Amino acid sequence: GYRAAINLLSGPTPPDAIFCIADVMALGALDAARFGLGLKVPRDVSIVGFDDIPSAAWPAYDLTTFRQPIEAMVGRSLSLLFDPADFPPAAIRIPGELIIRGSTNIGPATV
């Protein structure tokens, strides 16, 4: 995450925001922006993660992230494995939750 963010943010047209595939990568991106390049997050760039790991809520990171409903996902998966006849082929959606913290310029009124 650190190295990728350095590359992205040092380019000729740096992004306004970075969405990372995992919070661990987003934490690296935050460190790169703030300490590697001296940028202000979220003033100069917004950074969002995916997972909502415990360290995302630490004050040093305050990472906006997308929380996956792990328990619901595991429960639904186990139901499909143990009772496949009850579940014909279908797309199954289990909604997650956007957790807005201080690494983005968005607020509840704009979501």
Side-chain angles (χ1 to χ4, degrees):
Y2 188 97
R3 198 170 344 166
I6 292 288
N7 290 339
L8 278 171
L9 295 169
S10 298
T13 54
D16 296 327
I18 299 172
F19 182 84
C20 299
I21 63 168
D23 284 349
V24 172
M25 291 189 73
L27 299 181
L30 274 166
D31 286 344
R34 294 186 298 189
F35 306 121
L37 298 171
L39 300 174
K40 301 290 185 197
V41 176
R43 187 189 74 198
D44 299 323
V45 62
S46 292
I47 298 177
V48 180
F50 190 83
D51 291 328
D52 196 26
I53 61 175
S55 54
W58 293 355
Y61 290 112
D62 201 26
L63 178 67
T64 295
T65 186
F66 189 82
R67 179 182 296 155
Q68 298 181 75
I70 300 297
E71 289 182 23
M73 292 165 62
V74 169
R76 190 61 175 246
S77 297
L78 290 173
S79 295
L80 288 167
L81 286 171
F82 291 118
D83 293 320
D86 293 341
F87 297 98
I92 299 171
R93 293 190 179 142
I94 301 173
E97 180 182 4
L98 179 63
I99 307 299
I100 299 172
R101 296 190 182 109
S103 67
T104 57
N105 278 325
I106 59 174
T110 61
V111 175

XYZ file of all heavy atoms in Angstrom:
820
model
N 0.811 -1.197 0.000
C 0.000 0.000 0.000
C 0.849 1.253 0.000
O 0.539 2.225 -0.685
N 1.926 1.218 0.773
C 2.818 2.378 0.864
C 3.440 2.677 -0.500
O 3.342 3.792 -1.004
C 3.906 2.102 1.905
C 4.777 3.293 2.229
C 4.496 4.076 3.336
C 5.861 3.626 1.433
C 5.292 5.183 3.649
C 6.657 4.723 1.730
C 6.367 5.497 2.841
O 7.157 6.587 3.127
N 4.050 1.675 -1.080
C 4.743 1.859 -2.358
C 3.772 2.252 -3.478
O 4.069 3.120 -4.293
C 5.478 0.580 -2.725
C 6.547 0.788 -3.756
C 7.419 -0.416 -3.941
N 7.253 -1.337 -2.824
C 7.656 -2.575 -2.785
N 8.267 -3.072 -3.804
N 7.454 -3.343 -1.747
N 2.611 1.593 -3.510
C 1.621 1.912 -4.543
C 1.134 3.354 -4.406
O 0.969 4.065 -5.405
C 0.452 0.942 -4.470
N 0.902 3.798 -3.174
C 0.439 5.167 -2.956
C 1.512 6.185 -3.339
O 1.204 7.228 -3.932
C 0.017 5.362 -1.506
N 2.769 5.889 -3.028
C 3.859 6.786 -3.431
C 3.848 6.943 -4.948
O 3.933 8.057 -5.480
C 5.235 6.264 -2.942
C 5.349 6.340 -1.420
C 6.388 6.986 -3.640
C 5.509 7.723 -0.844
N 3.722 5.825 -5.667
C 3.690 5.868 -7.134
C 2.492 6.664 -7.649
O 2.630 7.496 -8.547
C 3.679 4.457 -7.719
C 4.992 3.742 -7.536
O 6.036 4.364 -7.336
N 4.957 2.415 -7.570
N 1.311 6.389 -7.096
C 0.102 7.086 -7.541
C 0.167 8.576 -7.258
O -0.154 9.401 -8.114
C -1.132 6.517 -6.832
C -1.750 5.247 -7.366
C -2.817 4.742 -6.406
C -2.358 5.494 -8.740
N 0.569 8.923 -6.041
C 0.518 10.312 -5.608
C 1.682 11.151 -6.125
O 1.635 12.372 -6.071
C 0.444 10.373 -4.082
C -0.838 9.773 -3.491
C -0.716 9.618 -1.978
C -2.044 10.616 -3.856
N 2.714 10.500 -6.635
C 3.859 11.219 -7.193
C 3.756 11.422 -8.693
O 4.607 12.081 -9.292
C 5.155 10.447 -6.893
O 5.372 10.350 -5.512
N 2.729 10.867 -9.298
C 2.564 10.957 -10.745
C 2.157 12.345 -11.200
O 1.898 13.239 -10.393
N 2.068 12.532 -12.520
C 1.744 13.852 -13.076
C 0.328 14.323 -12.737
O 0.084 15.519 -12.652
C 1.922 13.666 -14.585
C 1.845 12.195 -14.817
C 2.317 11.534 -13.551
N -0.610 13.398 -12.558
C -1.976 13.758 -12.180
C -2.401 12.901 -10.979
O -3.076 11.889 -11.145
C -2.965 13.558 -13.348
O -2.839 12.215 -13.831
C -2.701 14.532 -14.476
N -1.991 13.300 -9.777
C -2.326 12.494 -8.604
C -3.839 12.462 -8.364
O -4.536 13.431 -8.655
C -1.597 13.202 -7.455
C -1.332 14.579 -7.939
C -1.251 14.498 -9.437
N -4.339 11.347 -7.842
C -5.776 11.225 -7.607
C -6.237 12.063 -6.414
O -5.443 12.411 -5.542
C -5.950 9.726 -7.310
C -4.637 9.320 -6.725
C -3.606 10.139 -7.452
N -7.522 12.354 -6.393
C -8.142 13.036 -5.252
C -8.442 12.057 -4.134
O -8.579 12.454 -2.979
C -9.457 13.704 -5.660
C -9.255 14.805 -6.680
O -8.202 15.473 -6.639
O -10.154 14.987 -7.517
N -8.583 10.770 -4.510
C -8.944 9.745 -3.530
C -8.359 8.403 -3.963
O -8.139 8.166 -5.142
C -10.463 9.631 -3.418
N -8.125 7.559 -2.965
C -7.640 6.199 -3.213
C -8.533 5.250 -2.436
O -8.736 5.417 -1.235
C -6.176 6.031 -2.748
C -5.243 6.974 -3.498
C -5.731 4.585 -2.927
C -3.817 6.987 -2.957
N -9.088 4.261 -3.133
C -9.863 3.190 -2.489
C -9.004 1.934 -2.537
O -8.644 1.469 -3.619
C -11.197 2.953 -3.206
C -12.034 1.893 -2.546
C -12.848 2.212 -1.476
C -11.991 0.588 -2.990
C -13.615 1.235 -0.862
C -12.753 -0.397 -2.381
C -13.568 -0.079 -1.316
N -8.653 1.412 -1.386
C -7.776 0.246 -1.296
C -8.592 -1.024 -1.101
O -9.652 -1.001 -0.471
C -6.806 0.417 -0.135
S -5.735 1.855 -0.312
N -8.074 -2.146 -1.591
C -8.801 -3.409 -1.511
C -8.799 -4.008 -0.113
O -9.537 -4.952 0.148
C -8.260 -4.451 -2.514
C -6.815 -4.812 -2.194
C -8.405 -3.958 -3.927
C -6.318 -6.023 -2.949
N -8.004 -3.471 0.783
C -7.956 -3.955 2.161
C -7.474 -2.824 3.056
O -6.714 -1.951 2.626
C -7.019 -5.161 2.277
N -7.920 -2.831 4.300
C -7.496 -1.804 5.245
C -5.987 -1.786 5.439
O -5.395 -0.721 5.602
C -8.171 -2.010 6.606
C -9.621 -1.563 6.619
O -10.068 -0.913 5.657
O -10.307 -1.862 7.612
N -5.356 -2.947 5.420
C -3.905 -2.997 5.610
C -3.210 -2.176 4.522
O -2.265 -1.429 4.802
C -3.400 -4.457 5.622
C -1.904 -4.523 5.615
C -3.962 -5.195 6.826
N -3.686 -2.287 3.297
C -3.110 -1.486 2.212
C -3.424 -0.008 2.408
O -2.590 0.855 2.140
C -3.615 -1.964 0.864
C -3.065 -3.336 0.494
S -3.435 -3.791 -1.193
C -2.321 -2.719 -2.073
N -4.630 0.289 2.892
C -5.010 1.688 3.118
C -4.156 2.320 4.212
O -3.803 3.502 4.118
C -6.490 1.771 3.478
N -3.809 1.554 5.230
C -2.951 2.093 6.285
C -1.577 2.439 5.714
O -1.003 3.476 6.046
C -2.822 1.098 7.442
C -4.130 0.718 8.157
C -3.855 -0.250 9.295
C -4.884 1.931 8.637
N -1.059 1.593 4.838
C 0.200 1.898 4.152
C 0.073 3.133 3.284
O 0.981 3.976 3.230
N -1.060 3.267 2.597
C -1.295 4.439 1.746
C -1.366 5.715 2.588
O -0.830 6.761 2.190
C -2.574 4.256 0.935
N -2.016 5.634 3.743
C -2.071 6.783 4.647
C -0.677 7.203 5.090
O -0.328 8.391 5.082
C -2.912 6.444 5.889
C -4.415 6.637 5.782
C -5.119 5.951 6.940
C -4.749 8.107 5.768
N 0.126 6.220 5.473
C 1.499 6.523 5.892
C 2.307 7.133 4.752
O 3.070 8.072 4.961
C 2.196 5.261 6.419
C 1.700 4.844 7.794
O 1.051 5.663 8.481
O 1.963 3.689 8.185
N 2.135 6.622 3.558
C 2.855 7.153 2.400
C 2.467 8.605 2.135
O 3.322 9.459 1.906
C 2.576 6.293 1.170
N 1.164 8.863 2.154
C 0.685 10.220 1.883
C 1.201 11.191 2.938
O 1.750 12.249 2.607
C -0.840 10.237 1.832
N 1.037 10.827 4.196
C 1.386 11.753 5.279
C 2.885 11.858 5.516
O 3.422 12.959 5.599
C 0.696 11.323 6.571
C -0.822 11.457 6.492
C -1.475 11.176 7.811
N -1.197 9.803 8.225
C -1.764 9.200 9.244
N -2.627 9.856 9.985
N -1.477 7.965 9.553
N 3.541 10.727 5.657
C 4.942 10.742 6.063
C 5.907 10.655 4.876
O 6.984 11.233 4.921
C 5.221 9.618 7.060
C 4.281 9.651 8.237
C 3.469 8.571 8.521
C 4.190 10.776 9.043
C 2.583 8.610 9.597
C 3.315 10.818 10.118
C 2.504 9.734 10.400
N 5.511 9.953 3.831
C 6.375 9.826 2.665
C 6.351 11.053 1.773
O 7.362 11.425 1.188
N 5.171 11.681 1.671
C 5.031 12.814 0.749
C 4.623 14.117 1.428
O 4.524 15.148 0.772
C 4.009 12.466 -0.345
C 4.395 11.285 -1.240
C 3.239 10.890 -2.135
C 5.623 11.643 -2.070
N 4.346 14.077 2.714
C 3.972 15.286 3.440
C 2.607 15.836 3.091
O 2.340 17.022 3.288
N 1.719 14.998 2.592
C 0.373 15.438 2.242
C -0.527 15.444 3.474
O -0.276 14.737 4.443
C -0.226 14.518 1.180
C 0.523 14.432 -0.144
C -0.106 13.377 -1.051
C 0.548 15.784 -0.830
N -1.583 16.223 3.405
C -2.585 16.262 4.465
C -3.768 15.401 4.037
O -4.329 15.594 2.966
C -3.073 17.690 4.718
C -1.976 18.644 5.121
C -1.478 18.338 6.503
C -0.458 19.383 6.918
N 0.340 18.963 8.036
N -4.101 14.434 4.874
C -5.255 13.565 4.629
C -6.342 14.014 5.599
O -6.097 14.105 6.793
C -4.876 12.084 4.883
C -6.089 11.183 4.715
C -3.741 11.646 3.968
N -7.517 14.370 5.131
C -8.068 14.216 3.787
C -7.998 15.465 2.912
O -8.542 15.446 1.814
C -9.513 13.856 4.063
C -9.854 14.671 5.264
C -8.581 14.672 6.096
N -7.366 16.544 3.349
C -7.356 17.772 2.545
C -6.783 17.547 1.154
O -7.372 17.957 0.152
C -6.576 18.876 3.256
C -6.682 20.224 2.518
C -5.758 21.266 3.078
N -4.391 20.899 2.643
C -3.295 21.356 3.195
N -3.372 22.176 4.213
N -2.109 20.990 2.740
N -5.626 16.884 1.065
C -4.961 16.679 -0.223
C -5.421 15.412 -0.940
O -5.447 15.366 -2.164
C -3.443 16.620 -0.028
C -2.881 17.907 0.549
O -3.381 18.997 0.187
O -1.953 17.823 1.369
N -5.732 14.393 -0.185
C -6.187 13.119 -0.758
C -7.038 12.389 0.289
O -6.725 12.414 1.477
C -5.000 12.231 -1.218
C -4.100 11.849 -0.063
C -5.477 11.008 -1.981
N -8.135 11.799 -0.168
C -8.962 10.954 0.695
C -8.534 9.504 0.503
O -8.186 9.104 -0.613
C -10.448 11.087 0.333
O -10.927 12.373 0.663
N -8.563 8.731 1.584
C -8.171 7.325 1.505
C -9.235 6.485 2.202
O -9.648 6.792 3.320
C -6.777 7.107 2.123
C -5.737 7.920 1.339
C -6.423 5.615 2.137
C -4.332 7.861 1.876
N -9.664 5.409 1.503
C -10.699 4.514 2.007
C -10.184 3.084 1.949
O -9.532 2.688 0.991
C -11.997 4.622 1.161
C -13.074 3.692 1.674
C -12.489 6.062 1.134
N -10.503 2.319 2.985
C -10.116 0.913 3.026
C -11.320 -0.003 2.892
O -12.443 0.447 2.637
N -11.069 -1.281 3.088
C -12.119 -2.295 2.973
C -11.828 -3.386 3.980
O -10.768 -4.007 3.914
C -12.112 -2.876 1.547
C -13.289 -3.747 1.254
C -14.495 -3.212 0.854
C -13.186 -5.125 1.387
C -15.581 -4.036 0.575
C -14.257 -5.952 1.105
C -15.462 -5.402 0.704
N -12.668 -3.599 4.941
C -12.608 -4.663 5.954
C -13.032 -4.167 7.329
O -13.651 -4.876 8.065
C -11.208 -5.288 6.133
C -10.747 -6.101 4.958
O -11.602 -6.706 4.285
O -9.536 -6.122 4.705
N -12.629 -2.985 7.724
C -12.809 -2.421 9.063
C -12.086 -3.246 10.118
O -12.672 -3.711 11.088
C -14.276 -2.236 9.432
C -14.437 -1.291 10.631
O -13.544 -0.441 10.836
O -15.436 -1.402 11.353
N -10.780 -3.411 9.915
C -9.961 -4.079 10.922
C -9.850 -3.152 12.142
O -10.048 -1.938 12.017
C -8.561 -4.456 10.373
C -7.776 -3.213 9.927
C -8.691 -5.477 9.240
C -6.346 -3.500 9.486
N -9.558 -3.685 13.320
C -9.515 -2.844 14.526
C -8.604 -1.620 14.415
O -8.968 -0.529 14.867
C -9.034 -3.805 15.620
C -9.529 -5.140 15.159
C -9.382 -5.107 13.649
N -7.436 -1.754 13.800
C -6.517 -0.620 13.727
C -7.041 0.507 12.838
O -6.553 1.639 12.922
C -5.126 -1.073 13.268
O -5.203 -1.782 12.063
N -8.039 0.256 12.013
C -8.626 1.317 11.188
C -9.255 2.403 12.067
O -9.296 3.567 11.679
C -9.668 0.743 10.232
N -9.722 2.029 13.239
C -10.365 2.980 14.149
C -9.372 3.682 15.080
O -9.756 4.593 15.805
C -11.432 2.269 14.982
N -8.112 3.267 15.074
C -7.124 3.919 15.933
C -7.035 5.394 15.565
O -7.052 5.756 14.373
C -5.754 3.280 15.784
C -5.637 1.878 16.278
C -6.579 1.130 16.937
C -4.497 1.028 16.130
N -6.086 -0.123 17.211
C -4.819 -0.215 16.731
C -3.249 1.188 15.553
C -3.925 -1.272 16.774
C -2.356 0.138 15.591
C -2.695 -1.079 16.202
N -6.908 6.267 16.543
C -6.823 7.703 16.247
C -5.696 8.070 15.282
O -5.843 9.009 14.504
C -6.584 8.327 17.627
C -7.201 7.356 18.590
C -6.952 5.999 17.981
N -4.607 7.340 15.298
C -3.497 7.637 14.384
C -3.884 7.425 12.926
O -3.298 8.039 12.030
C -2.286 6.767 14.727
N -4.873 6.564 12.663
C -5.303 6.297 11.289
C -6.678 6.889 10.986
O -6.865 7.498 9.958
C -5.285 4.797 10.992
C -3.892 4.245 10.910
C -3.406 3.364 11.867
C -3.038 4.627 9.885
C -2.119 2.873 11.794
C -1.745 4.142 9.805
C -1.289 3.259 10.764
O -0.012 2.782 10.689
N -7.657 6.646 11.844
C -9.008 7.185 11.663
C -9.507 6.938 10.234
O -9.992 7.840 9.550
C -9.012 8.675 12.004
C -10.392 9.202 12.330
O -11.252 8.414 12.783
O -10.619 10.415 12.131
N -9.369 5.701 9.788
C -9.602 5.315 8.393
C -11.080 5.095 8.070
O -11.764 4.318 8.732
C -8.834 4.017 8.096
C -8.987 3.427 6.701
C -8.343 4.335 5.658
C -8.370 2.037 6.658
N -11.558 5.778 7.043
C -12.873 5.474 6.487
C -12.749 4.124 5.795
O -11.778 3.871 5.081
C -13.302 6.555 5.481
O -13.467 7.788 6.185
C -14.600 6.193 4.776
N -13.733 3.257 6.003
C -13.626 1.907 5.472
C -15.008 1.329 5.207
O -16.019 1.874 5.648
C -12.838 1.010 6.462
O -12.604 -0.267 5.876
C -13.554 0.845 7.773
N -15.017 0.232 4.501
C -16.258 -0.497 4.252
C -16.230 -1.768 5.080
O -15.350 -2.601 4.908
C -16.410 -0.830 2.762
C -17.763 -1.379 2.433
C -18.835 -0.530 2.241
C -17.968 -2.743 2.344
C -20.094 -1.031 1.953
C -19.217 -3.251 2.056
C -20.282 -2.395 1.859
N -17.170 -1.897 6.011
C -17.231 -3.048 6.915
C -18.011 -4.186 6.261
O -19.145 -4.020 5.842
C -17.900 -2.651 8.227
C -18.012 -3.803 9.206
C -18.712 -3.382 10.479
N -17.912 -2.376 11.170
C -18.440 -1.481 12.013
N -19.721 -1.450 12.260
N -17.641 -0.612 12.608
N -17.358 -5.322 6.202
C -18.015 -6.519 5.676
C -18.767 -7.214 6.810
O -18.245 -7.332 7.909
C -16.980 -7.492 5.132
C -16.177 -6.943 3.983
C -15.197 -7.976 3.500
O -15.585 -8.923 2.843
N -13.931 -7.801 3.839
N -19.962 -7.714 6.536
C -20.722 -8.435 7.563
C -20.245 -9.897 7.647
O -20.913 -10.807 7.156
C -22.161 -8.323 7.068
C -22.016 -8.243 5.577
C -20.728 -7.494 5.325
N -19.099 -10.110 8.252
C -18.443 -11.421 8.263
C -19.350 -12.515 8.829
O -19.461 -13.601 8.249
C -17.113 -11.358 9.047
C -16.161 -10.352 8.395
C -16.475 -12.731 9.154
C -15.740 -10.696 6.994
N -19.985 -12.265 9.960
C -20.824 -13.304 10.567
C -21.965 -13.714 9.643
O -22.251 -14.902 9.491
C -21.356 -12.841 11.916
C -20.277 -12.777 12.973
C -20.809 -12.368 14.334
O -22.017 -12.541 14.584
O -20.004 -11.879 15.143
N -22.604 -12.753 9.016
C -23.695 -13.064 8.091
C -23.170 -13.813 6.870
O -23.824 -14.754 6.380
C -24.410 -11.788 7.663
N -22.002 -13.429 6.382
C -21.418 -14.100 5.221
C -21.062 -15.552 5.545
O -21.350 -16.463 4.760
C -20.175 -13.339 4.754
C -20.495 -11.973 4.178
S -19.067 -10.882 4.000
C -18.047 -11.772 2.866
N -20.462 -15.770 6.700
C -20.100 -17.135 7.110
C -21.363 -17.963 7.330
O -21.463 -19.105 6.867
C -19.218 -17.114 8.374
C -19.063 -18.512 8.954
C -17.853 -16.510 8.062
N -22.343 -17.405 8.014
C -23.595 -18.130 8.261
C -24.292 -18.538 6.974
O -24.736 -19.679 6.828
N -24.355 -17.616 6.031
C -25.010 -17.921 4.749
C -24.221 -18.974 3.982
O -24.787 -19.893 3.394
C -25.138 -16.649 3.929
C -26.005 -16.786 2.716
C -27.440 -17.172 3.130
N -28.298 -17.186 2.009
C -29.306 -16.344 1.832
N -29.583 -15.462 2.746
N -30.034 -16.421 0.762
N -22.886 -18.876 4.005
C -22.034 -19.858 3.319
C -22.209 -21.250 3.907
O -22.313 -22.241 3.174
C -20.559 -19.449 3.408
O -20.354 -18.226 2.755
N -22.255 -21.334 5.228
C -22.445 -22.639 5.870
C -23.809 -23.225 5.540
O -23.937 -24.431 5.323
C -22.253 -22.521 7.385
C -20.816 -22.256 7.830
C -20.762 -21.991 9.326
C -19.894 -23.397 7.430
N -24.822 -22.380 5.482
C -26.154 -22.856 5.097
C -26.137 -23.440 3.690
O -26.745 -24.482 3.428
C -27.173 -21.719 5.152
O -27.336 -21.262 6.454
N -25.436 -22.780 2.791
C -25.348 -23.280 1.422
C -24.592 -24.601 1.351
O -24.942 -25.487 0.571
C -24.638 -22.251 0.533
C -25.430 -20.998 0.208
C -24.531 -19.938 -0.404
C -26.579 -21.324 -0.717
N -23.558 -24.732 2.165
C -22.769 -25.970 2.164
C -23.528 -27.153 2.749
O -23.467 -28.260 2.220
C -21.468 -25.771 2.950
C -20.402 -24.946 2.268
C -19.264 -24.655 3.232
C -19.875 -25.661 1.034
N -24.247 -26.917 3.836
C -24.900 -28.024 4.531
C -26.295 -28.339 4.009
O -26.781 -29.454 4.192
C -24.935 -27.756 6.039
C -23.566 -27.808 6.662
C -23.025 -26.697 7.272
C -22.814 -28.974 6.622
C -21.762 -26.740 7.837
C -21.547 -29.029 7.191
C -21.020 -27.911 7.795
N -26.963 -27.384 3.386
C -28.299 -27.600 2.834
C -28.394 -27.042 1.424
O -29.187 -26.145 1.146
C -29.365 -26.930 3.718
C -29.500 -27.576 5.063
O -29.447 -28.820 5.130
O -29.668 -26.832 6.057
N -27.594 -27.582 0.490
C -27.589 -27.000 -0.863
C -28.930 -27.117 -1.579
O -29.242 -26.296 -2.442
C -26.506 -27.781 -1.592
C -26.321 -29.030 -0.808
C -26.710 -28.716 0.609
N -29.749 -28.096 -1.229
C -31.045 -28.259 -1.895
C -31.981 -27.098 -1.576
O -32.876 -26.777 -2.359
C -31.686 -29.578 -1.475
N -31.795 -26.479 -0.431
C -32.651 -25.360 -0.034
C -32.299 -24.059 -0.737
O -33.008 -23.078 -0.627
C -32.565 -25.135 1.484
C -33.172 -26.290 2.269
O -33.953 -27.068 1.686
O -32.857 -26.402 3.462
N -31.176 -24.048 -1.451
C -30.706 -22.817 -2.075
C -30.371 -23.057 -3.539
O -29.276 -23.478 -3.874
C -29.458 -22.291 -1.349
C -29.717 -21.913 0.075
C -29.407 -22.790 1.104
C -30.277 -20.692 0.395
C -29.636 -22.447 2.414
C -30.515 -20.339 1.720
C -30.197 -21.227 2.731
N -31.320 -22.816 -4.429
C -31.010 -22.959 -5.856
C -29.983 -21.895 -6.254
O -29.798 -20.905 -5.555
C -32.366 -22.708 -6.529
C -33.143 -21.908 -5.549
C -32.667 -22.333 -4.195
N -29.291 -22.098 -7.380
C -28.292 -21.111 -7.813
C -28.903 -19.710 -7.896
O -29.976 -19.521 -8.455
C -27.881 -21.602 -9.199
C -28.197 -23.059 -9.184
C -29.406 -23.219 -8.295
N -28.206 -18.774 -7.283
C -28.686 -17.391 -7.271
C -27.567 -16.483 -6.786
O -26.649 -16.928 -6.103
C -29.900 -17.259 -6.344
N -27.673 -15.229 -7.148
C -26.759 -14.226 -6.601
C -27.264 -13.861 -5.211
O -28.449 -13.578 -5.026
C -26.725 -12.994 -7.490
N -26.384 -13.888 -4.256
C -26.760 -13.555 -2.886
C -26.015 -12.300 -2.474
O -24.795 -12.230 -2.581
C -26.414 -14.719 -1.925
C -27.192 -15.968 -2.333
C -26.706 -14.331 -0.492
C -26.766 -17.209 -1.610
N -26.757 -11.325 -2.020
C -26.151 -10.065 -1.574
C -26.395 -9.903 -0.083
O -27.521 -10.018 0.390
C -26.757 -8.890 -2.319
C -26.399 -8.914 -3.774
C -26.792 -7.640 -4.450
N -26.396 -7.735 -5.841
C -27.099 -7.272 -6.834
N -28.218 -6.657 -6.616
N -26.656 -7.413 -8.065
N -25.320 -9.617 0.607
C -25.405 -9.339 2.031
C -24.828 -7.937 2.217
O -23.629 -7.738 2.010
C -24.627 -10.385 2.854
C -25.189 -11.781 2.577
C -24.683 -10.051 4.339
C -24.407 -12.909 3.204
N -25.655 -6.972 2.563
C -25.174 -5.594 2.611
C -24.126 -5.363 3.697
O -24.208 -5.915 4.790
C -26.429 -4.770 2.882
C -27.482 -5.726 3.271
C -27.050 -7.096 2.890
N -23.144 -4.537 3.357
C -22.129 -4.113 4.311
C -22.457 -2.712 4.790
O -23.583 -2.234 4.632
N -21.448 -2.055 5.351
C -21.687 -0.728 5.918
C -20.464 0.164 5.710
O -19.342 -0.235 6.018
C -21.964 -0.879 7.411
C -22.220 0.401 8.146
C -22.447 0.189 9.636
O -22.326 -0.945 10.126
O -22.733 1.186 10.311
N -20.706 1.353 5.200
C -19.645 2.335 5.064
C -19.427 2.996 6.418
O -20.355 3.559 7.001
C -20.010 3.388 4.019
C -18.987 4.498 3.802
C -17.669 3.933 3.262
C -19.547 5.557 2.860
N -18.203 2.917 6.929
C -17.856 3.522 8.212
C -17.049 4.786 7.907
O -15.903 4.708 7.471
C -17.013 2.549 9.074
C -17.704 1.195 9.209
C -16.700 3.167 10.424
C -19.064 1.233 9.868
N -17.668 5.930 8.107
C -17.023 7.192 7.769
C -16.205 7.683 8.962
O -16.724 7.864 10.050
C -18.058 8.252 7.356
C -18.822 7.769 6.115
C -17.378 9.589 7.083
C -19.978 8.640 5.731
N -14.920 7.863 8.700
C -14.005 8.399 9.702
C -13.255 9.577 9.083
O -13.705 10.149 8.089
C -13.068 7.295 10.197
C -13.804 6.173 10.923
C -12.831 5.224 11.625
N -13.535 4.140 12.283
C -13.532 2.873 11.878
N -12.832 2.501 10.805
N -14.198 1.951 12.539
N -12.122 9.921 9.634
C -11.444 11.148 9.253
C -10.529 11.110 8.046
O -9.908 12.115 7.734
N -10.436 9.992 7.336
C -9.511 9.931 6.197
C -10.150 10.342 4.874
O -9.528 10.239 3.819
C -8.924 8.517 6.066
O -9.928 7.592 5.701
N -11.390 10.824 4.945
C -12.076 11.251 3.732
C -12.736 12.617 3.939
O -12.997 13.019 5.068
C -13.170 10.256 3.299
O -14.090 10.093 4.385
C -12.585 8.934 2.907
N -13.019 13.265 2.836
C -13.690 14.562 2.871
C -15.213 14.441 2.769
O -15.873 15.395 2.407
C -13.211 15.437 1.697
C -11.908 16.115 2.015
O -11.668 16.499 3.151
N -11.065 16.283 1.016
N -15.727 13.272 3.041
C -17.182 13.111 2.954
C -17.776 13.134 4.350
O -17.130 12.813 5.331
C -17.593 11.812 2.219
C -17.026 10.587 2.935
C -17.156 11.852 0.787
C -17.499 9.277 2.365
N -19.017 13.518 4.416
C -19.723 13.528 5.692
C -21.069 12.869 5.523
O -21.478 12.551 4.408
N -21.779 12.657 6.603
C -23.078 11.981 6.537
C -24.064 12.636 5.569
O -24.841 11.968 4.940
C -23.587 12.055 7.970
C -22.360 12.211 8.807
C -21.388 12.988 7.961
N -23.978 13.960 5.392
C -24.924 14.643 4.514
C -24.648 14.364 3.032
O -25.504 14.561 2.200
C -24.881 16.148 4.768
N -23.445 13.895 2.697
C -23.112 13.690 1.289
C -23.116 12.229 0.883
O -22.855 11.906 -0.253
C -21.712 14.268 0.971
O -20.735 13.595 1.764
C -21.671 15.749 1.209
N -23.413 11.333 1.803
C -23.391 9.900 1.487
C -24.713 9.473 0.938
O -25.738 9.878 1.323
C -23.035 9.063 2.732
C -23.147 7.588 2.429
C -21.649 9.399 3.188
